[in-house]
Amino acid sequence: MAYYFSKDKASLRIVHEKIPSITGATRLETLPTSIGMLTGLQAPLGDPLWMLSRQWQFNEFQGEDAGTPLRIRFNVRGTAIDAFRSGADDQGQWTSLDDVQAGARGVPIETRVEAEAVWRGHPRLCGEAGMYALRMASDSVRAKLLAAYPLGLEQPSDPDADQAGLLWSVLFNHRTIDTIELARDLRQLKGAGNESDVPARLNLDPADDPGACRAMLERWLAWLDALVFEGDGARPDATNPSWQRNRMEYAFSLRAGDVALRADEYTDGHLDWDDFRASAPDQPVERIEQVFSVAARHPSPVRYPGMPAERYWEFEDGNVNFAGAEAGITDLLRMCVTEFALTFGNDWFVVPVRLPVGWLYQVNDFVITDSFGIASSANAIEKPDGMQWTMYSLTADANLQGRVQHAMLLPDSLDGVQEGAVLEETLLARDEMANLAWAIEKKVQGVSGEPLDRDLEARALAFQQQIALDKQPDSPQLIYRLATPVPANWTPLLPVRDPALNLNDPLAIRLARAGMKRFYPDATVEVMGGDVDPHYADFLALLDKQTHFITKLPVADGLRTYVFYPRGWLLRRDPDRPIDPLDPEDKLVIEEEEVPRIGATLKRKFQYARSSDGRSWLWIGRSKIAGRGEAASHLRFDVAVKKMR
């Protein structure tokens, strides 16, 4: 019985009297009187009152005046995504997506954003495409193609580390054609209007049937253009404008009428609505909307694994047991999920609607007709303070003034992307003992374009100095080292100040890619003072061959200085050219917050997928995921170590 006390009359009054009841279920034991189990499994009931009492125990008589939705009718207003912009610059140029406006499916967003140059960095793929052209050509034309466009693929300087490059160089060197050169000549003839001609380098005879050869080359070029998508990465400088080198992330924007959808931190390889932020574009266009009227639909209850059974004698899913979930006083999320699953799970309904992708939608005129025939308009649930409950809503700037309120983005993204072998992998890690950050290359593309193990290569690019000391009692027991060695695939990231002074943060620090210097004496008798180890001479010769990522600096007579740089596309503008520290285009400065304590893992790999219109897409993309924690380079200066016995 509940009471309350009134201050004005100083009296005690009865408010409500609750009748105690037992709502728990007791265990029912049966007394088997027969051998068979058929009667027990049938569970016959002879007293309907028992079933009514069971319903009362489960509080099923406490009904609510709420009808079940039977029919739903609503309208959807959509605005097509009509433009694309690479990079994070708000003043960048928009590229119109006319194919989307015309109703055709264009390039998927992931492919458009990630695609970069493929052919120039993958000679094996060029050789395989050239082999396909040779199979299409006749015998006489095949010989002329090999003579005019031979593919030269030299053996790697370190065959032990680049074993795939060694095998493909033996197989393809001057045995297939150079796809890049042949495709360039064909496109030049097509651009000049000479589509019926063949490249002059072929030197075809009249017996070779130039018309049939040209038709064959046209079919091959069409196949080649559809094989790999390079996007803006096919530019001469081989850079992708969407890739932000200072962040190691993709940044781009989409435009839907008078709404700009910005994705400044795209890293995981799959785009969805939560990657975008809505804002007002710098060049707004007229917003052309299309209304999709959804006829009356019958909603279906939401189903999920482990959902409580609706019928009393129905067995529930034994793989999920929400009742056995354990939660502490701080596990609010777990308790909310459990409460939803056990109590409010059957209050949700779903109405599937087919809508074209690549649009920004807003739902309005949402009318629900329940089982009592009552039609009501559904609005967003509001808290007492006026805040509305939302789901799948875009984060928007205040200058949009509610134009994307209750809007949902359906991007033309890909599902089920298949990833190939990792072509390049780099770890960004911090080294607290050395007070440095490192870019550690694990894999890069070798001479054939296939991955090369840089850890194995680093062992060949290191030579440990051996000092022979006598075993006399007065001989020195310690050896002085100017610096301890660091593997060749470890590139230091040095802290530098931001050149633009920011008074709000004058100590802004960024991480600049540098080179690791190593000093070696010449392999001569005059310098070494005795016989020269032949392995040491081979080691210096190997360093001299690596002209693309190892720079030799003149210091003094008898002394060599080598600077080790990275050799992959992730840390270089163009790995095919020798690095120039003074070239501002090849300079790499990374924001300090992009190298957290846990580090980051960067990867380049082939990706293949089919878009919603059935077309296949093959491209090379990049991704950034969490790293492996801190690194330990063991770099020390001015140390004394015990001699080797």
Side-chain angles (χ1 to χ4, degrees):
M1 186 173 297
Y3 305 90
Y4 79 92
F5 183 78
S6 177
K7 294 183 179 180
D8 54 349
K9 297 183 179 180
S11 61
L12 189 66
R13 300 182 180 182
I14 300 176
V15 176
H16 179 66
E17 181 178 0
K18 291 186 176 181
I19 301 176
S21 64
I22 299 176
T23 58
T26 59
R27 183 173 180 178
L28 301 178
E29 299 286 350
T30 59
L31 180 62
T33 58
S34 61
I35 300 177
M37 301 177 61
L38 180 59
T39 305
L41 293 176
Q42 289 178 349
L45 294 176
D47 187 4
L49 183 60
W50 185 88
M51 183 62 72
L52 295 176
S53 64
R54 294 295 291 170
Q55 288 181 280
W56 172 75
Q57 287 180 336
F58 281 94
N59 296 329
E60 292 189 7
F61 294 152
Q62 297 181 2
E64 299 177 354
D65 294 333
T68 302
L70 297 182
R71 188 169 59 253
I72 294 179
R73 177 178 54 82
F74 57 92
N75 293 331
V76 178
R77 293 183 302 168
T79 304
I81 297 175
D82 55 10
F84 171 83
R85 180 173 62 191
S86 302
D89 186 9
D90 294 338
Q91 306 300 324
Q93 184 67 29
W94 290 97
T95 301
S96 177
L97 304 180
D98 295 331
D99 51 349
V100 177
Q101 292 289 348
R105 303 291 187 219
V107 182
I109 301 179
E110 291 95 339
T111 309
R112 188 186 298 273
V113 172
E114 300 176 11
E116 58 187 61
V118 177
W119 296 109
R120 60 171 299 184
H122 211 293
R124 180 191 68 82
L125 190 60
C126 293
E128 291 182 345
M131 293 294 294
Y132 182 67
L134 295 178
R135 289 193 295 267
M136 296 175 62
S138 60
D139 294 340
S140 58
V141 175
R142 184 183 303 114
K144 290 181 170 59
L145 282 173
L146 283 174
Y149 299 96
L151 176 64
L153 188 57
E154 298 180 357
Q155 295 185 4
S157 58
D158 187 1
D160 294 332
D162 193 3
Q163 298 181 3
L166 176 63
L167 296 176
W168 286 109
S169 62
V170 173
L171 181 63
F172 275 167
N173 189 28
H174 294 281
R175 295 184 178 181
T176 183
I177 62 176
D178 191 339
T179 300
I180 300 178
E181 292 291 333
L182 178 58
R184 182 185 298 114
D185 290 349
L186 292 176
R187 292 191 180 99
Q188 288 178 355
L189 290 176
K190 189 175 182 179
N194 303 326
E195 299 183 5
S196 60
D197 296 341
V198 295
R201 294 168 59 177
L202 289 179
N203 294 323
L204 294 181
D205 298 330
D208 295 328
D209 194 356
C213 178
R214 179 62 188 182
M216 181 273 296
L217 293 177
E218 283 292 337
R219 294 195 305 270
W220 174 80
L221 185 61
W223 169 85
L224 186 70
D225 293 337
L227 179 62
V228 177
F229 182 78
E230 294 185 304
D232 294 334
R235 302 187 310 174
D237 55 357
T239 58
N240 186 344
S242 297
W243 179 254
Q244 308 300 298
R245 301 181 73 227
N246 63 325
R247 296 286 183 182
M248 293 296 170
E249 300 169 346
Y250 290 106
F252 67 98
S253 300
L254 301 176
R255 189 182 65 190
D258 58 350
V259 177
L261 304 170
R262 297 185 51 178
D264 295 331
E265 299 179 1
Y266 168 52
T267 59
D268 56 359
H270 177 69
L271 273 170
D272 212 336
W273 60 272
D274 54 339
D275 292 313
F276 294 92
R277 180 184 181 90
S279 61
D282 56 319
Q283 301 173 4
V285 297
E286 183 181 358
R287 184 173 185 174
I288 303 176
E289 296 182 344
Q290 183 174 349
V291 178
F292 300 87
S293 180
V294 180
R297 298 290 182 87
H298 182 73
S300 302
V302 174
R303 302 292 181 182
Y304 54 88
M307 185 175 181
E310 295 181 355
R311 300 178 58 188
Y312 180 72
W313 295 107
E314 182 180 355
F315 288 97
E316 297 177 350
D317 188 359
N319 296 325
V320 181
N321 184 16
F322 285 103
E326 299 180 356
I329 58 175
T330 58
D331 296 335
L332 298 179
L333 182 59
R334 182 177 300 181
M335 289 188 289
C336 290
V337 173
T338 305
E339 180 72 9
F340 163 79
L342 297 178
T343 306
F344 305 102
N346 58 350
D347 295 338
W348 291 76
F349 295 82
V350 60
V351 179
V353 179
R354 287 184 176 271
L355 295 171
V357 295
W359 290 66
L360 181 65
Y361 295 102
Q362 285 182 302
V363 180
N364 58 356
D365 297 335
F366 200 90
V367 179
I368 303 175
T369 304
D370 59 19
S371 56
F372 296 105
I374 301 175
S376 57
S377 298
N379 297 317
I381 301 175
E382 292 188 359
K383 296 174 60 177
D385 58 357
M387 181 181 297
Q388 294 183 347
W389 186 89
T390 59
M391 179 179 285
Y392 305 116
S393 61
L394 291 169
T395 303
D397 295 341
N399 55 5
L400 283 179
Q401 299 177 355
R403 278 179 286 176
V404 293
Q405 188 176 13
H406 307 306
M408 182 176 60
L409 174 65
L410 288 183
D412 188 12
S413 56
L414 295 171
D415 187 19
V417 178
Q418 299 182 15
E419 299 180 351
V422 177
L423 299 176
E424 186 173 343
E425 181 179 1
T426 300
L427 303 180
L428 302 180
R430 290 185 177 270
D431 185 358
E432 295 297 339
M433 297 302 297
N435 198 20
L436 281 175
W438 297 92
I440 309 170
E441 289 185 325
K442 309 298 291 185
K443 293 181 180 180
V444 296
Q445 290 182 269
V447 296
S448 65
E450 292 297 291
L452 174 151
D453 190 352
R454 287 228 65 193
D455 289 332
L456 184 61
E457 182 190 51
R459 300 175 186 176
L461 297 177
F463 193 88
Q464 183 67 33
Q465 182 184 9
Q466 301 292 334
I467 301 179
L469 300 175
D470 55 36
K471 299 182 180 180
Q472 300 299 325
D474 57 346
S475 63
Q477 302 296 316
L478 298 177
I479 300 176
Y480 172 75
R481 300 283 187 189
L482 180 63
T484 55
V486 177
N489 58 328
W490 288 50
T491 301
L493 302 177
L494 303 181
V496 295
R497 289 184 180 274
D498 196 331
L501 179 60
N502 184 4
L503 298 180
N504 296 327
D505 189 8
L507 299 180
I509 298 297
R510 297 194 293 176
L511 303 176
R513 182 204 63 199
M516 203 68 186
K517 287 185 178 181
R518 289 171 175 80
F519 302 90
Y520 298 100
D522 283 336
T524 59
V525 178
E526 294 79 5
V527 176
M528 303 299 293
D531 296 336
V532 179
D533 186 356
H535 297 288
Y536 180 66
D538 296 339
F539 166 71
L540 294 181
L542 178 61
L543 295 183
D544 293 335
K545 292 181 180 179
Q546 313 297 337
T547 57
H548 292 316
F549 65 98
I550 297 180
T551 303
K552 183 179 179 181
L553 300 178
V555 178
D557 294 339
L559 183 63
R560 298 188 181 187
T561 302
Y562 296 94
V563 184
F564 288 70
Y565 292 102
R567 59 175 302 180
W569 290 92
L570 290 171
L571 302 176
R572 297 273 298 274
R573 278 286 188 183
D574 189 354
D576 297 334
R577 297 185 303 175
I579 197 167
D580 185 4
L582 302 179
D583 186 5
E585 294 295 332
D586 200 17
K587 185 179 181 181
L588 176 61
V589 179
I590 304 175
E591 303 297 335
E592 186 184 16
E593 61 270 17
E594 299 300 334
V595 188
R597 188 170 183 177
I598 195 175
T601 301
L602 309 175
K603 294 182 179 180
R604 288 180 66 247
K605 51 188 176 297
F606 271 109
Q607 301 186 84
Y608 175 83
R610 286 190 177 272
S611 55
S612 55
D613 59 352
R615 286 189 292 173
S616 60
W617 301 92
L618 178 65
W619 74 99
I620 289 181
R622 308 183 182 190
S623 63
K624 182 175 73 170
I625 59 177
R628 306 176 183 176
E630 297 184 2
S633 62
H634 305 290
L635 175 63
R636 295 182 298 167
F637 298 94
D638 297 330
V639 295
V641 297
K642 292 184 178 181
K643 70 177 183 179
M644 303 298 296
R645 295 184 179 275

